[in-house]
Amino acid sequence: MAASSIQPVGIIGGTGLTTLAGLRIEGESAVTTEWGEPSAPLVRGTLDRQPVIFLARHGNPHRIPPHQVNYRANLMALYQAGVRTVVGVNAVGGIHPDMGPAHVVIPDQIIDYTWGRACTFFEGELDSVTHIDFTYPYDREARELLIEAARAESIGFSGFGVYGATQGPRLETAAEIRRMERDGCDLVGMTGMPEAVLAAELGMRYACLGLVVNWAAGKTDHIITMDEIEAAIEQGMSGVKRVLARSVASLGALSPLPRPA
């Protein structure tokens, strides 16, 4: 199959991800959608003949806080660019005792604690109400490919986890983390929702590739610092990049899902 006919894989995350080994950047394009402008221009490239499109979730430079990200524009821009499989790369806090700083996690569930965010495409003057199934928020086949890649790269990872999505931009209190742990959360982050559900509304395969950058509040005897977070990112991002590089061609070969009516 010619490279031009292969569907691009979308990767949402930090701009540093565009330095994947073997990646050839081909250009970028500023786009707009009926839901407004995405966080940043779409950066297009190829990796082992697989087209990829990167989108910096918080803008480039990193300036948009998680509660003000235009998630609808981000997902729609990728959809209109031909993306049908998306990997969301997320920096998260570790709650589960095995999920410490620099650990990679491929979660399988979400609990949404956010509020007030534009979280659906199905609103306004509708012909009918649409309720999508969200029992399993992450695509099974995409998750399996990420897990296989992490295993093949021999990095420390967990192939399960409940992602607790909080509002931000502040970090959580120790009491909030204790509540989330009682609820069954293994991770805490601020960008997992509504990104996942919007992808589902568009019929896009979506999986999360989480990098733990700090222990969640109250899990250590010291406060969380940016120095700690930056050190974990520097240590763990190489594993994230290796997983993406190994899995991207297989992700691109997944068959498209139907878009909900």
Side-chain angles (χ1 to χ4, degrees):
M1 182 181 297
S4 61
S5 64
I6 301 174
Q7 291 179 345
V9 172
I11 300 175
I12 305 176
T15 53
L17 293 172
T18 58
T19 59
L20 290 174
L23 175 69
R24 183 179 64 175
I25 297 295
E26 298 177 341
E28 64 177 53
S29 55
V31 300
T32 189
T33 76
E34 62 183 296
W35 305 100
E37 296 183 357
S39 299
L42 303 183
V43 178
R44 300 172 182 271
T46 55
L47 181 63
D48 191 23
R49 294 188 295 178
Q50 169 61 47
V52 291
I53 298 179
F54 296 90
L55 176 57
R57 183 187 288 114
H58 297 282
N60 185 15
H62 187 110
R63 61 181 176 80
I64 306 172
H67 67 296
Q68 291 187 322
V69 171
N70 190 338
Y71 295 94
R72 291 192 293 192
N74 285 354
L75 271 297
M76 184 58 75
L78 290 172
Y79 186 86
Q80 291 175 344
V83 170
R84 296 297 180 268
T85 297
V86 178
V87 178
V89 178
N90 300 84
V92 295
I95 299 175
H96 190 285
D98 294 338
M99 299 179 185
H103 192 70
V104 171
V105 185
I106 302 159
D108 58 344
Q109 278 294 334
I110 297 173
I111 298 178
D112 188 7
Y113 299 94
T114 66
W115 50 269
R117 300 184 181 190
C119 60
T120 182
F121 293 110
F122 298 125
E123 64 180 18
E125 298 181 6
L126 303 174
D127 294 331
S128 62
V129 177
T130 300
H131 302 283
I132 66 161
D133 178 80
F134 203 52
T135 305
Y136 302 103
Y138 300 114
D139 182 74
R140 178 182 60 82
E141 292 180 76
R143 286 189 66 254
E144 288 176 354
L145 291 174
L146 293 177
I147 290 170
E148 289 173 8
R151 188 175 294 122
E153 290 293 329
S154 300
I155 67 170
F157 82 100
S158 296
F160 69 94
V162 178
Y163 181 126
T166 58
Q167 179 70 0
R170 68 167 177 86
L171 297 173
E172 299 72 34
T173 68
E176 288 170 331
I177 293 299
R178 289 195 296 271
R179 181 190 71 163
M180 294 176 69
E181 190 168 21
R182 291 193 298 270
D183 287 349
C185 295
D186 301 300
L187 306 164
V188 57
M190 302 174 190
T191 55
M193 287 290 284
E195 196 169 274
V197 72
L198 292 169
E201 287 188 350
L202 291 171
M204 302 167 85
R205 296 180 183 270
Y206 181 90
C208 170
L209 186 56
L211 175 62
V212 180
V213 298
N214 59 274
W215 285 110
K219 287 300 175 179
T220 64
D221 58 2
H222 64 272
I223 64 171
I224 300 167
T225 67
M226 286 307 301
D227 287 344
E228 169 190 3
I229 290 173
E230 289 168 2
I233 291 174
E234 183 176 352
Q235 180 182 352
M237 189 54 70
S238 63
V240 169
K241 291 180 178 180
R242 284 155 53 198
V243 170
L244 289 172
R246 181 174 284 268
S247 62
V248 69
S250 298
L251 290 166
L254 292 174
S255 59
L257 300 174
R259 182 173 175 177

